[in-house]
Amino acid sequence: MKKENKSVIIWLLSGCFLVFIMVIVGGITRLTNSGLSMTDWHLVTDTFPPLTEAKWQETFEQYKQFPEYQKINIHNDFTLSDYKFIYFWEWFHRLIGRVIGLVFIVPFVYFLWKKKIDKATLNKCFILLGMGALQGFFGWFMVKSGLVDNPDVSHFRLSLHLTFAFLTFAYTLWVALDLIYPEQKAAIIPLRKIARFALIFLVIQIVYGGFVAGLNAGLIHNHWPLMSDGQWMHDSILLEKDSWLLRFTEGKSGVQFVHRTLAYIVVGLMVFLYYKSRSYTLNSQQTKGIQIMLGIVFLQFTLGVFTLLYSVPIALGLLHQIVAFFLLTATTYTLHRLSK
């Protein structure tokens, strides 16, 4: 690591940490059904929550005009106090998004002025800037889908928002790793190929994790290793939708089945990577990366099983999402060390 890159590396890793925090808060927001509490989007006025009781009541009355209250919460003795709770998590989630924007843009301008960013890193930072802006749009796009007729956001849009946050984190980490390890060494091609496949399937698994969350598909078939009734692939999959594509993208049972199956594939690829790596002479970074990745994937698999068996309690659901972040971190690091 070059000394002149230290401040840029700290900046990038701070961005990674904030994205991680934002996804955790996003998970709490989703698990507490708080995501539709703020029915409008203002860059300035939403920065602070309502500051008076009268303003709270006005905001609550606005919320009552939308489907989530009219179709669900109106039947649950939903009070202003309940509304303040769900409002807080959505507001906090948006606040962190604003903080991330400031943390990225202000130091970025400073580094440009001081000419601390080389051309290659500068191009990557422009990509990160675009990804951040796009993620904000995806958040608005997701919330919008739950404010029209259906009191739930589209599971496609939820998954897009979630997955893109993971990808933004992974790319930010990759850019930081390029600066931490500037030396170029020959890649271990066979291991790099396996690690790439592991990362690809992990991202697809994250996509399906978003589908499961958006459809509440973790609340059914709460058995393992079989779905239920002694079936590996439950009969209900065939009854939910008319085509195989819809069954595996919109049907609750089908989406859960794919998520279960992908878990085995991800674990299998990472175990295979560990097995193949024993035939090569690796440095300490590569060895530790693979070992940590392997340990985390088994932890994540175990958490997934218990989250399903206990019908997605908030604590386990959130922990499952957090460990997914750790697994993505370890996989990205391992691929980087096997590639350069």
Side-chain angles (χ1 to χ4, degrees), residues 139-209:
W140 169 85
F141 186 58
M142 176 190 69
V143 171
K144 199 73 175 174
S145 67
L147 297 176
V148 183
D149 297 312
N150 190 350
D152 288 313
V153 299
S154 161
H155 69 288
F156 291 112
R157 297 187 189 188
L158 184 150
S159 186
L160 177 64
H161 186 51
L162 175 68
T163 305
F164 202 74
F166 275 83
L167 292 176
T168 302
F169 169 88
Y171 187 67
T172 306
L173 177 61
W174 190 277
V175 176
L177 290 172
D178 281 344
L179 296 176
I180 294 171
Y181 304 108
E183 75 283 353
Q184 297 292 317
K185 296 182 179 180
I188 305 176
I189 304 298
L191 298 185
R192 184 180 68 181
K193 286 182 178 179
I194 301 171
R196 281 178 175 173
F197 275 112
L199 181 60
I200 290 169
F201 275 94
L202 176 58
V203 170
I204 297 172
Q205 177 70 321
I206 291 168
V207 170
Y208 266 86

Side-chain angles (χ1 to χ4, degrees), residues 11-56:
W11 166 58
L12 290 168
L13 293 180
S14 298
C16 286
F17 177 74
L18 284 172
V19 173
F20 170 65
I21 295 298
M22 188 171 186
V23 171
I24 292 176
V25 174
I28 297 173
T29 302
R30 173 179 53 79
L31 290 166
T32 56
N33 297 312
S34 303
L36 298 177
S37 58
M38 296 178 70
T39 57
D40 211 342
W41 195 295
H42 300 289
L43 185 60
V44 178
T45 56
D46 285 350
T47 302
F48 300 99
L51 300 178
T52 65
E53 201 66 18
K55 188 62 179 176
W56 270 116

Side-chain angles (χ1 to χ4, degrees), residues 66-280:
F66 290 87
E68 183 174 74
Y69 179 82
Q70 294 178 347
K71 296 184 178 181
I72 298 175
N73 287 332
I74 194 173
H75 306 295
N76 297 331
D77 296 324
F78 196 75
T79 65
L80 178 59
S81 177
D82 297 321
Y83 177 67
K84 288 180 178 180
F85 174 78
I86 64 172
Y87 186 99
F88 168 79
W89 287 113
E90 176 62 12
W91 167 79
F92 191 37
H93 186 54
R94 295 188 190 189
L95 178 66
I96 296 173
R98 290 178 170 90
V99 171
I100 290 174
L102 289 174
V103 167
F104 184 84
I105 293 172
V106 174
F108 179 58
V109 172
Y110 172 78
F111 291 140
L112 277 179
W113 178 49
K114 290 291 187 177
K115 298 181 180 178
K116 287 181 171 286
I117 304 178
D118 60 71
K119 186 176 180 181
T121 305
L122 180 61
N123 291 334
K124 296 170 189 174
C125 288
F126 280 124
I127 293 174
L128 284 173
L129 183 63
M131 292 178 78
L134 195 56
Q135 178 67 356
F137 168 76
F138 287 152
W140 169 85
F141 186 58
M142 176 190 69
V143 171
K144 199 73 175 174
S145 67
L147 297 176
V148 183
D149 297 312
N150 190 350
D152 288 313
V153 299
S154 161
H155 69 288
F156 291 112
R157 297 187 189 188
L158 184 150
S159 186
L160 177 64
H161 186 51
L162 175 68
T163 305
F164 202 74
F166 275 83
L167 292 176
T168 302
F169 169 88
Y171 187 67
T172 306
L173 177 61
W174 190 277
V175 176
L177 290 172
D178 281 344
L179 296 176
I180 294 171
Y181 304 108
E183 75 283 353
Q184 297 292 317
K185 296 182 179 180
I188 305 176
I189 304 298
L191 298 185
R192 184 180 68 181
K193 286 182 178 179
I194 301 171
R196 281 178 175 173
F197 275 112
L199 181 60
I200 290 169
F201 275 94
L202 176 58
V203 170
I204 297 172
Q205 177 70 321
I206 291 168
V207 170
Y208 266 86
F211 287 174
V212 169
L215 291 170
N216 292 317
L219 301 179
I220 59 174
H221 306 307
N222 302 110
H223 305 269
W224 186 83
L226 303 178
M227 292 186 76
S228 59
D229 302 326
Q231 295 178 317
W232 178 262
M233 183 176 178
H234 200 266
D235 290 340
S236 58
I237 295 173
L238 301 175
L239 304 176
E240 288 180 320
K241 300 292 176 181
D242 295 329
S243 73
W244 285 105
L245 177 62
L246 295 180
R247 287 167 186 156
F248 290 139
T249 56
E250 296 186 16
K252 291 185 179 183
S253 296
V255 163
Q256 191 196 108
F257 172 77
V258 174
H259 195 54
R260 285 171 174 257
T261 305
L262 284 170
Y264 291 107
I265 294 173
V266 171
V267 171
L269 284 168
M270 293 183 179
V271 169
F272 184 54
L273 176 60
Y274 172 76
Y275 172 76
K276 292 292 289 184
S277 70
R278 298 173 67 184
S279 303
Y280 294 85

